[in-house]
Amino acid sequence: MIGFIIWIIGVILTIKAVIEIMQWNVNGGKKLLVAILVLLISWIGLAVYYFWGKDNLPQMLR
């Protein structure tokens, strides 16, 4: 049961991250690449996104 709850939290955070990435004012191809990477590398992608990438990636991709 705990594993299922952790999985649901991961899915919700991933969806939230992808929605935030799609709202960036950056080239569409770059946004799509970052969103796919976050989806593919799961928890590591989420950790990198929320602890470092959320503030730094939009400026780096311009």
Side-chain angles (χ1 to χ4, degrees):
M1 183 69 178
I2 300 232
F4 180 71
I5 293 170
I6 291 172
W7 180 77
I8 292 293
I9 291 169
V11 169
I12 291 169
L13 288 175
T14 302
I15 291 169
K16 183 175 182 275
V18 169
I19 290 171
E20 290 176 3
I21 290 168
M22 290 300 154
Q23 293 175 348
W24 291 349
N25 188 16
V26 179
N27 182 0
K30 293 177 183 177
K31 286 192 290 192
L32 185 61
L33 178 64
V34 171
I36 289 172
L37 284 174
V38 168
L39 288 170
L40 288 179
I41 54 178
S42 190
W43 286 101
I44 296 169
L46 285 173
V48 169
Y49 174 74
Y50 280 112
F51 291 121
W52 179 79
K54 189 174 184 178
D55 298 326
N56 299 322
L57 276 175
Q59 289 83 21
M60 290 178 65
L61 295 176
R62 288 189 183 162

